[in-house]
Amino acid sequence: MHFRYSDTLFLKKNDTCIKIGFGNFSFVEEPIHIERELSLLHCKEVEYLNQLKFKDRFYSYVLGRISGKFAAKELYPYFNERDIWIDHGVFGQPILKHPELHNLQVGISHSGKQGAAIVFPEAFPMGIDIELMDPNKTGLLESQMTHSELSKVMKFGADYPFYVMMLWTAKESLSKVLKTGLTLSLEILEIESIKYKGTYFEINY
């Protein structure tokens, strides 16, 4: 069984309203029958997919690309998914390609059986990252945080592993905005402040 969801998001800054396409595609069960999803891939994507030797990499590629296409379709519903090609740049970053698409970028993330993507104007750089909660990873993630960041997390008290994971996703999202991935020193991505806003967290770097 598969699950898909897409929506159009609107971000407002002063008098500017930014329209964003969001796409989510996930495998609820073991992904055995995905012929329909594979039929949505661009010929260049199929060519790349056929070169992948490991099952996990195969499925994560499908999750990301299909999510990206759903996100693009939110902004351009009349496009055919097979005509949308999500290529990759020299830093491995995803690049949205279509004969009629200009000045748009795509952000992709996948974890486990979940994939998510956003399509947004290049004038407003954005990043997206999703992670499955795994308390066993807390120690590893802590080792990648500064003392200042960990002290901010501890102030929230309960559910410490969740907040450590939240910081990690925020840092990885910023690395995608910068198109460096996690190849640069994580101290450059250091979190300066975290504020709870009732239904979301506001994080400054």
Side-chain angles (χ1 to χ4, degrees), residues 152 155-156 162-163 166 193-204:
K152 292 179 176 61
K155 292 179 181 178
F156 287 101
F162 167 80
Y163 292 110
M166 181 180 70
S193 64
I194 310 170
K195 295 180 181 179
Y196 180 55
K197 295 290 187 173
T199 57
Y200 65 94
F201 287 88
E202 180 181 281
I203 294 178
N204 293 306

Side-chain angles (χ1 to χ4, degrees), residues 40-101:
L40 301 179
L41 296 178
H42 185 278
C43 60
K44 292 289 187 181
E45 294 169 329
V46 173
E47 181 181 330
Y48 179 82
L49 191 66
N50 289 336
Q51 299 175 14
L52 300 177
K53 299 179 180 179
F54 299 103
K55 184 176 69 172
D56 289 348
R57 183 70 187 98
F58 180 95
Y59 287 130
S60 64
Y61 183 85
V62 173
L63 287 169
R65 264 52 191 180
I66 297 300
S67 296
K69 291 171 187 287
F70 291 163
K73 286 275 287 184
E74 275 296 313
L75 301 183
Y76 298 92
Y78 49 86
F79 281 1
N80 187 312
E81 289 93 338
R82 288 187 294 273
D83 294 332
I84 300 171
W85 174 24
I86 302 179
D87 196 6
H88 54 268
V90 294
F91 295 114
Q93 78 274 20
I95 301 174
L96 191 65
K97 292 185 176 181
H98 186 281
E100 299 179 40
L101 283 179

Side-chain angles (χ1 to χ4, degrees), residues 67-205:
S67 296
K69 291 171 187 287
F70 291 163
K73 286 275 287 184
E74 275 296 313
L75 301 183
Y76 298 92
Y78 49 86
F79 281 1
N80 187 312
E81 289 93 338
R82 288 187 294 273
D83 294 332
I84 300 171
W85 174 24
I86 302 179
D87 196 6
H88 54 268
V90 294
F91 295 114
Q93 78 274 20
I95 301 174
L96 191 65
K97 292 185 176 181
H98 186 281
E100 299 179 40
L101 283 179
H102 306 286
N103 304 319
L104 286 177
Q105 295 191 12
V106 60
I108 287 176
S109 184
H110 45 75
S111 182
K113 297 178 182 178
Q114 293 279 341
I118 50 174
V119 171
F120 53 92
E122 65 179 5
F124 300 92
M126 301 181 190
I128 183 172
D129 187 58
I130 60 172
E131 298 286 347
L132 291 179
M133 275 301 304
D134 184 356
N136 294 325
K137 291 183 178 180
T138 302
L140 175 62
L141 297 181
E142 282 179 320
S143 68
Q144 305 301 313
M145 306 289 177
T146 66
H147 291 299
S148 175
E149 288 173 326
L150 292 177
S151 66
K152 292 179 176 61
V153 169
M154 290 176 182
K155 292 179 181 178
F156 287 101
D159 210 3
Y160 176 76
F162 167 80
Y163 292 110
V164 172
M165 181 68 78
M166 181 180 70
L167 252 66
W168 175 257
T169 59
K171 291 162 77 81
E172 188 159 359
S173 295
L174 178 57
S175 75
K176 293 177 180 179
V177 173
L178 300 175
K179 293 183 172 56
T180 62
L182 297 175
T183 60
L184 76 174
S185 170
L186 293 179
E187 291 186 359
I188 297 177
L189 308 175
E190 185 174 17
I191 304 296
E192 181 178 307
S193 64
I194 310 170
K195 295 180 181 179
Y196 180 55
K197 295 290 187 173
T199 57
Y200 65 94
F201 287 88
E202 180 181 281
I203 294 178
N204 293 306
Y205 301 88

